[in-house]
Amino acid sequence: MSQAREIKDYISLQIGKAIESETPLLESGLLDSIAIVELLIFIEERYDVRLSAEDINHVEFGNVLSICRLIARKTLEPQNALG
């Protein structure tokens, strides 16, 4: 299963309705603060990356595709490679 599909399925399960990869997440209000924290934990544990408070914004968490790009960037950062 692709990363985008996993994240999309996770969010859909959390909010109780299907979304698309480009569905706005924060601007639409689909994710409340608790859902954001749960998604953050899911991403960190599933993809072994560390996200900061600065990463949680309308650009990085705008939709599933932008989250995938964020994960790709964080995976390449040296501190994540060292574990």
Side-chain angles (χ1 to χ4, degrees), residues 6-56:
E6 281 184 330
I7 295 169
K8 191 168 67 168
D9 288 352
Y10 177 84
I11 294 170
S12 294
L13 182 65
Q14 294 298 87
I15 65 172
K17 69 180 200 176
I19 64 165
E20 297 300 322
S21 296
E22 295 181 6
T23 299
L25 300 173
L26 300 181
E27 290 179 2
S28 65
L30 285 176
L31 299 179
D32 62 17
S33 57
I34 293 172
I36 292 169
V37 170
E38 290 173 344
L39 177 58
L40 176 71
I41 292 167
F42 169 77
I43 291 168
E44 288 189 340
E45 290 178 354
R46 176 69 180 98
Y47 302 107
D48 195 29
V49 296
R50 297 295 158 239
L51 302 177
S52 67
E54 292 80 28
D55 293 323
I56 313 304

Side-chain angles (χ1 to χ4, degrees), residues 50-65:
R50 297 295 158 239
L51 302 177
S52 67
E54 292 80 28
D55 293 323
I56 313 304
N57 59 61
H58 291 288
V59 174
E60 305 292 3
F61 269 59
N63 59 47
V64 171
L65 296 178

